[in-house]
Amino acid sequence: MKIMRRTVLAAALAAVSLFAQAAKLPKLVLAGPYASVSFPLIHMAESGALSDLAEQVEFVAWRDPDQLRVLTLGGKADFIATPTNVAANLYNRGAPLALLNVSAWGTLWMVSRDANMKTLADFKGKEIAMPFRADMPDIIFGALAEKQGLDPRKDFRMRYVATPMDAMQLLLTRRADHVLLAEPAASMALRKSRSFPISAIAPELHRSVDLQQEWGRVFQREARLPQAGIAVLGKAKGNAALVERFQSAYAASLRWCNEHADACGAMVAKRIDMLTPEAVADSIRLGRSEFLTAQQARPELEAFFSVLLNKQPAILGGKLPDAGFYSGSMPGEKTADQR
C-alpha cells in the first residue's frame, strides 16, 4: 500500500511539473530606456528571476519616447519602463496598459562648465542643451522656471537634442556649456570629463542644479519626482498571477541593484555599451530609487500630474488618469477610492 501511495504521489508531482512546464509562456519581453528604472529589468533577465514563468525573458532597450510608444502601441513588450507622464498619456488615449509601480524618484540635473551656477535663475540668458523636446525633462524645467517668474522661451536659449546621450556629447566636446541630463548620463558626463583620452579635450564639469530639490523648494513638497516606473501591457495586464510575480521580482532586483552598485554597474554596462560600470554605480549611489506600487504612489503622482496638466495638458492626454490606470498594482491592494 505504501509503495502504491508513493507511486501515486510521484505521478501526481510529475503531472504538476509537466503542467507547470506546459503553462510556461514562450517569451516575456521587458523593455526600458538607458536609465536607472531599467537596471532591475536587466537584472531580472540576467538572473533568471522569471525563468519559471517563461522559456525566454528578453530585455529590449528603447532610445526615445517615439520608440517607447511604438513598443507600447504595437504590443511588442509585456512590461515596459516608462516615464509616468507617457504611461498616463497612452492610457488616456486608450492604450491597454496599467501602471504597476514607481521606482525612479528624480534623476534630473543641470550639468555645467561653470561652478557658480547654483539656481535656474543663474542660467538666464544662457544656452541650454535639452533632450526630449516637449517631454518630461523639458516640461519639468519649464514648470520650475515659470514658478520662479522665469519665461523658459524668452529667458533661456534652448537647444533641443534627441536624447540625453546626444546632450552629453555636446557637453564633452565643448559644443555646449550647460545641459539638462538624466541619470546615468549626468554621472557618465562627469566621469568621462575626468578620464583619458576624453579628458584631453573635455572641459571641467560640475553637477549644478538638482531639479528634484528645486521641485520640493518651489512647490513646497517633498524633494522628489515620481518620474518613472513600470507599466504592464496587453495580455499580461489580465494575468494577475504574472503581475504579482513580476512586482515581487522587480522589487527584489531593485533592492539588489541598490545594495550592489558596483556589480549592477558591471552588469548594466555589458548590456548597454554607451554606459560605463563606474557611471552606473555613481548614479545608483545617489539613492533616488525606491519601490512603491502605483497605488502607494498615487497621491504623489496626481500632485505631479496636476502641475504637468496646468503646464501642458496634452502631455497627459488632457486629463488625470482614472483609477483604472493604477489597477495593475498588487492583487488585493486597496485603491485610494476604496480606503
Side-chain angles (χ1 to χ4, degrees):
M1 180 68 72
K2 287 183 179 179
I3 294 174
M4 183 178 293
R5 284 176 180 169
R6 287 180 191 145
T7 303
V8 171
L9 178 59
L13 290 172
V16 169
S17 176
L18 286 171
F19 176 79
Q21 291 176 19
K24 267 191 179 184
L25 297 168
K27 187 176 184 179
L28 274 176
V29 177
L30 318 178
Y34 302 141
S36 61
V37 67
S38 296
F39 299 166
L41 296 180
I42 295 172
H43 181 256
M44 290 163 70
E46 289 277 344
S47 65
L50 300 178
S51 59
D52 58 319
L53 300 180
E55 296 292 345
Q56 181 183 1
V57 178
E58 179 184 5
F59 173 78
V60 175
W62 58 260
R63 284 178 54 86
D64 56 53
D66 288 336
Q67 282 186 313
L68 162 60
R69 292 178 181 98
V70 168
L71 284 168
T72 303
L73 297 175
K76 297 181 178 181
D78 300 291
F79 298 92
I80 194 161
T82 170
T84 54
N85 69 291
V86 176
N89 181 297
L90 290 168
Y91 175 83
N92 281 337
R93 296 182 185 280
L97 66 80
L99 190 68
L100 289 181
N101 62 59
V102 177
S103 63
W105 291 88
T107 63
L108 300 176
W109 292 83
M110 297 298 298
V111 179
S112 175
R113 293 178 61 182
D114 187 341
N116 297 313
M117 311 299 269
K118 303 298 184 184
T119 70
L120 291 189
D122 293 334
F123 291 90
K124 188 173 181 179
K126 306 293 185 182
E127 181 184 76
I128 298 171
M130 175 77 68
F132 303 147
R133 183 172 189 167
D135 225 306
M136 178 76 85
D138 192 18
I139 298 297
I140 295 297
F141 181 91
L144 288 171
E146 289 179 355
K147 189 71 174 177
Q148 299 175 71
L150 299 164
D151 187 332
R153 291 172 296 181
K154 296 179 180 179
D155 290 328
F156 309 95
R157 292 182 287 121
M158 310 306 291
R159 180 177 179 179
Y160 291 104
V161 297
T163 70
M165 293 302 176
D166 293 327
M168 182 187 75
Q169 290 301 325
L170 290 176
L171 191 63
L172 290 173
T173 55
R174 298 177 181 264
R175 289 177 290 162
D177 293 336
H178 319 287
V179 304
L180 190 155
L181 291 175
E183 288 293 345
S187 291
M188 188 79 170
L190 293 166
R191 279 275 179 178
K192 280 185 171 293
S193 68
R194 296 193 297 268
S195 65
F196 184 84
I198 292 176
S199 59
I201 60 167
E204 181 179 347
L205 300 179
H206 306 275
R207 195 183 289 273
S208 180
V209 180
D210 179 342
L211 268 66
Q212 291 66 227
Q213 291 294 329
E214 283 287 276
W215 182 271
R217 183 177 68 83
V218 304
F219 287 104
Q220 297 184 333
R221 298 190 60 84
E222 191 170 354
R224 67 180 192 172
L225 295 166
Q227 190 172 337
I230 306 295
V232 59
L233 310 174
K235 291 181 181 179
K237 180 174 177 288
N239 189 333
L242 175 61
V243 166
E244 182 174 15
R245 183 79 170 71
F246 175 89
Q247 287 277 69
S248 297
Y250 185 87
S253 285
L254 178 66
R255 185 165 56 252
W256 181 88
C257 288
N258 287 340
E259 292 174 356
H260 303 86
D262 292 328
C264 185
M267 176 194 68
V268 169
K270 281 197 306 180
R271 287 284 191 124
I272 303 174
D273 56 11
M274 291 184 178
L275 299 177
T276 65
E278 297 81 8
V280 173
D282 288 347
S283 70
I284 291 170
R285 290 192 178 98
L286 288 172
R288 294 290 173 79
S289 294
E290 179 187 359
F291 179 92
L292 266 68
T293 68
Q295 287 295 344
Q296 291 169 332
R298 186 174 177 181
E300 288 183 83
L301 282 166
E302 290 189 334
F304 177 55
F305 288 163
S306 294
V307 174
L308 300 186
L309 271 176
N310 185 58
K311 172 73 176 149
Q312 187 172 320
I315 198 172
L316 293 177
K319 60 183 179 180
L320 289 176
D322 61 28
F325 178 64
Y326 306 91
S327 65
S329 292
M330 297 287 202
E333 185 178 11
K334 290 183 179 182
T335 68
D337 301 329
Q338 293 171 326
R339 294 190 185 111

